[in-house]
Amino acid sequence: MMGARERMRQERKWTIVVFNVLLLVAALVQIYGLHIRGRQDLISAARSAVVEFVE
Amino acid sequence: MKRPETPVRTGPSEINRGADETIPGDAGAGTRHVPLSVYCIYLLALSWPLGAYQRVFWEVHLHQLAFIPLALETLAYWKRHKRIQTPFELFWPCAAITALVFVLAVGGRPVSPFKVAGGSAAFVVLYHSVSRRQVVWDALHCSMLAGTVMLLLSVLARLNWIFPTAYDLDTRFVMAGPYSIQEGVVIVGTLLLVLPPFLAAVKAGEYHRTRFAWTTCVLFPAAVLLLIFVPVRVDLPAWRPAHQLFLVPAGVLVLLVLWGCARVAAKLIVAGSYLPKFMTVVLPVVIIVGVCLVMIFGKIPPVGVVVLLALLAAYGKPHLQRETEWHRPFLPAIILAVIVMVNLTVMLPGDPRNYEAEARQALARGDYDGLRANMSFVNSLAPSERRTHYYSARSYFEEGRIFQAVPQFARSLRDGPKPRLLPPPATREIESFLNELRDFSSALPERIRGLAYERALIAAGRERHALSLLELRGEPLMLQGVRSSPLAHALAEALGAPGMGAMLSAWEPGLLAVVLESSGPLNGIWPAPEGFPVHQLPCVVMLLPSDNALHACIFSPAGQGGGVQFVTGEAMPFTDALALALDTGWSDWQPRDDGHWKLRFGDGLAFLIGSSPQVLFTAPIALPADYPLQGGEVRIYLPKEYLTNE
């Protein structure tokens, strides 16, 4: 059985992995949403998404 | 049959509690006594998928009432032990989200702080309150049963047996239960996601109410398929993905939510030492996919999604007991059934089916087209809802389009079958509309205001008042010897009360002609051409455009004819044909070889006088919004000698 410290370390590691996956999906959703609404091409939508995020 | 007891598995050492610390809501393994907190969890899980049907009053829902005892019990536990079962790494994102939302609300941002705070609290409390694994599966079972009921009600709504609580005007997709189609999609999607782990738990013996569990596993997908295959035009672009996820300050909230969900998934992934192995894979995947689904379809996830997330997260608690033999939770089901039945049969204040509230909001914000589209849709589902016409009339009136407003007002006052939802307009509302219409139209010149107010009075059953106003419309012409009947029937038609024609025939023809002439800016009296059959005079030609149709009528002593050309959306658009018709305008009466006389309006409409009057539509005609004849156009043809004398 995993020790408490090791378990917490594993939890943190997996949290970061899953968080990054979710972040990626959220970015794709946002880009696609901008693309659908603004009738932009995906590249422009991605650029808009980045600008919005930075702002 | 009772399953054999399995040993209680304990979790990692860091969560072992002192000897005096108890699992919340736990009454000991193997007991048949069901703690109150478990009842509340079941009630919460049962009620949330039913959305509007679990509303108790105003904004208070059954799931909120079920949450109160859980919250109190959590507070009591915290007071006794100075801690709760929800770990800090899951608690702080909830607290941060709540704090941030309140800060945003104070700053004037359009957020719902209490809703978000409630969702965060629900997660913390529910995670704390789950004491056994069977509670998790029982609660999921309850949610899927309730979801099945919601889907079956939605199928009934699609068949128009019950009125929906949510609909999409573009796709005409309806659902019964959720407050919006997006919310409904998220509810169904998340419950479908829960299905695989639920099935796995049943198969693996984690959840051993096999018969009922399998029934649910079949019922819910069957209801989903039933809803999908009831014919409908599904237009997915109406459900557009979110595009504001990372806009500041919403982006900070999104990041916090994603972090919290990632933490839950991570806890389940590393829980392999005391959970079945397949659950440490399936549950994190379900959570990740569920979060993606919510991001795509929902702005703020419905509370049920938080409930499901909390239940799945609590399943990974290390110290949960696995076995129990409890009575089935019939009491929550009975309570919920009563609330649902009440909501199905009675429309309490704040009900989403109350289209009047939405109509008033649309009027207040000036969304007149949206209001009319909404009322039209409601009316297509429930033609007996005469109040929809009242609000359409209101929207036209607010735009100053009184000639469109009055026919709608008249429709709202017609007798009809008992309405499904709201009563017809009350006397106070009728009075209010008439007074406002009177004030508005009396400020207009007589020829511009037409017969709108008089028509509204007649629709409201005040014929004498209307007729007395008409009699004051100027000096009658001297038209002795002219038959009044065609003029009277034309006026009755213009007033929207064809039945009054016989009564108006008693009026002098000169008065009738003056009233008709004064009812529109382009109305006029013309001499009949040479050779026109005298026995067909006086002849009245009338155009009465409405928002979606053109009524054309002709009246003569030989009788009357009429026709309607409906102009509805794409089927018969307002096109260049109209422009052509308007450019050409009215022609003169022309004799034909067969002895008939023909009067053309553009290229699309012709009036024929033969043995009897007729109206012919020969091409689509459409009327643009700025067409000057809102109140209609009346052309009166009299024998030449009367006009010469005049």
Side-chain angles (χ1 to χ4, degrees):
Chain A
M1 185 176 287
M2 240 184 280
R5 196 177 296 273
E6 173 61 12
R7 187 163 170 272
M8 292 302 283
R9 201 182 66 78
Q10 288 288 326
E11 269 190 28
R12 276 198 294 273
K13 186 187 86 177
W14 279 109
T15 302
I16 290 167
V17 170
V18 175
F19 179 69
N20 280 300
V21 170
L22 292 177
L23 213 54
L24 182 66
V25 174
L28 291 176
V29 166
Q30 164 130 353
I31 290 168
Y32 186 65
L34 284 171
H35 169 63
I36 291 279
R37 279 179 171 74
R39 297 177 186 279
Q40 296 168 312
D41 60 84
L42 282 174
I43 304 282
S44 309
R47 198 179 295 129
S48 306
V50 171
V51 169
E52 281 172 6
F53 185 60
V54 171
E55 284 175 350
Chain B
M1 192 175 67
K2 235 179 174 183
R3 291 179 61 82
E5 299 271 318
T6 52
V8 178
R9 291 184 178 187
T10 56
S13 56
E14 79 275 13
I15 50 82
N16 283 349
R17 297 169 297 279
D20 60 331
E21 200 168 337
T22 56
I23 297 171
D26 190 21
T31 180
R32 297 183 69 82
H33 168 67
V34 183
L36 176 66
S37 64
V38 174
Y39 268 125
C40 291
I41 292 172
Y42 290 162
L43 188 54
L44 185 58
L46 261 178
S47 52
W48 73 265
L50 287 159
Y53 288 128
Q54 46 114 1
R55 211 169 49 89
V56 181
F57 58 91
W58 292 109
E59 295 292 315
V60 179
H61 292 70
L62 197 56
H63 72 257
Q64 292 161 332
L65 297 181
F67 173 72
I68 291 172
L70 291 175
L72 291 176
E73 193 180 56
T74 306
L75 280 175
Y77 187 93
W78 175 76
K79 193 178 175 190
R80 198 162 55 244
H81 300 289
K82 303 301 177 201
R83 63 187 293 274
I84 57 172
Q85 297 287 316
T86 310
F88 180 73
E89 59 266 28
L90 295 182
F91 178 83
W92 79 259
C94 297
I97 289 168
T98 305
L100 185 58
V101 168
F102 272 100
V103 169
L104 292 178
V106 170
R109 298 277 180 171
V111 290
S112 314
F114 292 104
K115 211 175 205 177
V116 176
S120 300
F123 180 86
V124 172
V125 168
L126 209 54
Y127 186 96
H128 164 86
S129 302
V130 171
S131 56
R132 302 175 185 216
R133 284 192 202 163
Q134 194 184 347
V135 173
V136 174
W137 297 120
D138 272 338
L140 293 180
H141 188 190
C142 289
S143 288
M144 279 208 275
L145 274 175
T148 307
V149 172
M150 183 271 282
L151 285 168
L152 293 177
L153 288 173
S154 296
V155 172
L156 293 183
R158 292 275 285 278
L159 298 171
N160 205 9
W161 290 8
I162 60 173
F163 199 84
T165 59
Y167 46 80
D168 185 88
L169 294 177
D170 294 331
T171 60
R172 301 182 70 80
F173 193 90
V174 300
M175 291 191 89
Y179 280 95
S180 69
I181 295 294
Q182 280 186 332
E183 184 184 314
V185 170
V186 170
I187 290 173
V188 175
T190 46
L191 284 176
L192 276 174
L193 276 176
V194 170
L195 204 55
F198 189 76
L199 269 169
V202 171
K203 199 167 183 180
E206 270 273 306
Y207 187 57
H208 49 77
R209 286 185 186 160
T210 311
R211 190 160 51 110
F212 290 97
W214 278 108
T215 308
T216 307
C217 292
V218 173
L219 264 180
F220 185 76
V224 173
L225 290 176
L226 197 57
L227 183 70
I228 290 172
F229 285 107
V230 172
V232 68
R233 183 169 64 90
V234 177
D235 188 9
L236 276 178
W239 302 328
R240 291 174 175 176
H243 71 298
Q244 297 173 322
L245 290 173
F246 292 124
L247 287 180
V248 175
V252 182
L253 279 177
V254 171
L255 292 178
L256 283 169
V257 171
L258 294 187
W259 180 265
C261 294
R263 193 74 195 202
V264 169
K267 277 185 170 296
L268 289 165
I269 290 171
V270 299
S273 57
Y274 51 91
L275 284 186
K277 286 289 178 198
F278 62 91
M279 288 296 179
T280 62
V281 176
V282 173
L283 292 183
V285 169
V286 161
I287 288 172
I288 292 169
V289 176
V291 172
C292 296
L293 186 76
V294 170
M295 280 195 290
I296 293 171
F297 288 115
K299 289 176 184 170
I300 295 180
V303 68
V305 175
V306 180
V307 170
L308 289 183
L309 182 66
L311 287 172
L312 294 183
Y315 181 76
K317 281 165 80 172
H319 54 269
L320 287 189
Q321 295 179 357
R322 186 177 168 183
E323 78 301 333
T324 192
E325 268 299 319
W326 284 339
H327 290 295
R328 294 197 180 91
F330 285 123
L331 185 61
I334 292 168
I335 295 171
L336 180 67
V338 170
I339 299 284
V340 170
M341 289 308 292
V342 169
N343 276 299
L344 271 171
T345 50
V346 184
M347 203 165 63
L348 301 170
D351 195 300
R353 293 168 296 177
N354 186 347
Y355 56 85
E356 184 172 36
E358 200 174 328
R360 284 182 176 164
Q361 287 171 7
L363 276 178
R365 64 175 183 266
D367 181 15
Y368 304 123
D369 287 335
L371 188 156
R372 286 194 288 273
N374 196 7
M375 293 300 104
S376 172
F377 183 75
V378 171
N379 200 252
S380 70
L381 293 180
S384 58
E385 287 302 313
R386 298 190 284 284
R387 193 169 275 262
T388 57
H389 296 299
Y390 179 78
Y391 280 100
S392 295
R394 275 272 167 208
S395 70
Y396 280 125
F397 180 73
E398 294 296 329
E399 288 182 308
R401 297 165 68 182
I402 55 175
F403 298 106
Q404 276 78 28
V406 169
Q408 292 288 341
F409 176 69
R411 273 184 223 170
S412 75
L413 302 181
R414 282 181 195 159
D415 290 334
K418 187 172 179 285
R420 280 170 76 173
L421 299 171
L422 297 175
T427 310
R428 183 176 50 81
E429 290 160 319
I430 296 169
E431 286 287 347
S432 158
F433 185 85
L434 286 175
N435 291 342
E436 288 176 43
L437 182 62
R438 181 196 61 211
D439 295 344
F440 183 87
S441 62
S442 61
L444 298 172
E446 190 172 71
R447 276 183 170 244
I448 300 294
R449 69 171 180 252
L451 300 173
Y453 181 54
E454 289 81 358
R455 193 172 171 175
L457 284 173
I458 290 171
R462 302 176 190 183
E463 290 89 352
R464 290 183 64 181
H465 186 182
L467 296 179
S468 64
L469 290 175
L470 291 175
E471 282 177 324
L472 300 174
R473 286 226 167 195
E475 286 295 314
L477 299 174
M478 294 300 291
L479 296 179
Q480 286 182 350
V482 172
R483 297 175 66 173
S484 62
S485 171
L487 299 165
H489 283 94
L491 179 58
E493 188 72 33
L495 288 169
M500 290 178 69
M503 190 262 283
L504 287 171
S505 297
W507 283 22
E508 288 180 31
L511 177 61
L512 291 167
V514 164
V515 171
L516 279 170
E517 191 190 14
S518 69
S519 66
L522 297 182
N523 295 357
I525 301 176
W526 277 265
E530 290 292 336
F532 194 87
V534 179
H535 66 279
Q536 298 281 14
L537 294 174
C539 175
V540 182
V541 171
M542 194 155 60
L543 288 182
L544 296 171
S546 67
D547 53 335
N548 65 344
L550 178 69
H551 299 250
C553 311
I554 179 168
F555 301 86
S556 84
Q560 64 190 63
V564 180
Q565 190 171 71
F566 287 98
V567 183
T568 51
E570 297 168 3
M572 200 177 286
F574 288 129
T575 60
D576 293 340
L578 168 69
L580 189 65
L582 289 177
D583 285 344
T584 315
W586 293 97
S587 67
D588 290 330
W589 283 105
Q590 298 290 338
R592 294 203 316 186
D593 295 340
D594 57 3
H596 289 44
W597 285 71
K598 183 178 180 182
L599 175 69
R600 286 195 299 111
F601 176 72
D603 286 340
L605 176 61
F607 298 89
L608 281 181
I609 285 280
S611 55
S612 64
Q614 293 176 53
V615 172
L616 298 176
F617 284 98
T618 53
I621 287 188
L623 299 172
D626 57 349
Y627 189 56
L629 306 178
Q630 274 203 14
E633 184 173 1
V634 181
R635 296 170 76 90
I636 303 168
Y637 293 91
L638 294 173
K640 204 171 187 178
E641 57 269 24
Y642 288 100
L643 298 179
T644 309
N645 293 342
E646 193 63 25

